[in-house]
Amino acid sequence: METAVYSGSFNPLHIGHLAILQHLVKSFDKVLLVVSPKNPLKESASALDGPARLEAAMAAVERHPELTADTEQGYVQVSDIEFGLPLPNYTINTLDALQEKFKLDRFVLVMGGDQIADIRRWKDYKRILGEYGVAVFPREGFDLEAIKEDLLQENPIYKISIMKMPLVTVSSTEIRNALAEGRDASGLLM
């Protein structure tokens, strides 16, 4: 079974995440939406709000039956696997834990263009790209083909696929800022 691993803080989940999930269920047998308690590369996400974000993610996915329906397409499951892993939550540890738990699945990490551009800062990024592979969605200001070519020059066995989908322009930071300023952002939430 080919399983997409889409992990992040998801603080909060928004219509951009929904568009990505809708694309992923058409391309993979299963999608694991992995809520991270704390991103080691971000200072802003508090470990204390992790359980609340996990509950919010479960509720958001449940509001979209097209993501969980038993159809010929893939489906989305919200995963709390990182809540049981030692801190800091490195993606390679998550992927390895998932592989140990679901031995027959083949995992592919889902990330944005901004993340692939910065992947050399990630712990064991060579293993992520070589053993698991990544599916990358476009982000404004990032030339994915050039980034992919640069990484493949480093090692031609890296598994990097670029998702053909519209650009996602909304961000969780933008939504949090709007809410902090008292503006209505409900139309952007998933």
Side-chain angles (χ1 to χ4, degrees), residues 18-32:
L18 177 60
I20 293 163
L21 290 168
Q22 289 169 333
H23 180 84
L24 292 171
V25 296
K26 295 175 188 170
S27 306
F28 291 89
D29 299 312
K30 180 170 62 175
V31 179
L32 289 178

Side-chain angles (χ1 to χ4, degrees), residues 4-136:
V5 177
Y6 186 21
S7 65
S9 300
F10 304 117
N11 187 22
L13 274 164
H14 54 66
I15 58 173
H17 296 126
L18 177 60
I20 293 163
L21 290 168
Q22 289 169 333
H23 180 84
L24 292 171
V25 296
K26 295 175 188 170
S27 306
F28 291 89
D29 299 312
K30 180 170 62 175
V31 179
L32 289 178
L33 183 74
V34 179
V35 178
S36 300
K38 180 153 177 48
N39 182 330
L41 296 179
K42 290 184 181 179
E43 294 297 322
S44 61
S46 164
L48 296 176
D49 69 346
R53 287 184 290 104
L54 179 65
E55 280 187 35
M58 288 182 196
V61 168
E62 285 176 15
R63 285 192 296 271
H64 294 276
E66 76 276 13
L67 298 178
T68 59
D70 187 14
T71 65
E72 292 182 18
Q73 294 187 142
Y75 59 94
V76 176
Q77 287 182 330
V78 177
S79 172
D80 65 352
I81 193 161
E82 288 192 354
F83 287 77
L85 297 176
L87 293 174
N89 293 107
Y90 292 115
T91 301
I92 191 64
N93 297 344
T94 302
L95 291 168
D96 288 345
L98 287 168
Q99 192 65 75
E100 180 64 27
K101 185 173 181 177
F102 304 103
K103 294 186 185 333
L104 299 179
D105 287 15
R106 187 178 89 70
F107 294 98
V108 176
L109 180 65
V110 177
M111 62 174 46
D114 53 332
Q115 294 169 312
I116 191 75
D118 199 33
I119 198 159
R120 288 184 171 107
R121 289 183 56 210
W122 291 34
K123 183 180 188 303
D124 293 334
Y125 79 91
K126 293 177 182 180
R127 281 193 56 221
I128 293 170
L129 294 173
E131 293 177 27
Y132 294 102
V134 295
V136 185

Side-chain angles (χ1 to χ4, degrees), residues 12 169-181 183 185 188:
T169 57
V170 66
S171 75
S172 294
T173 302
E174 170 189 336
I175 293 169
R176 287 193 309 273
N177 291 342
L179 294 172
E181 294 168 6
R183 292 185 282 134
L188 299 175

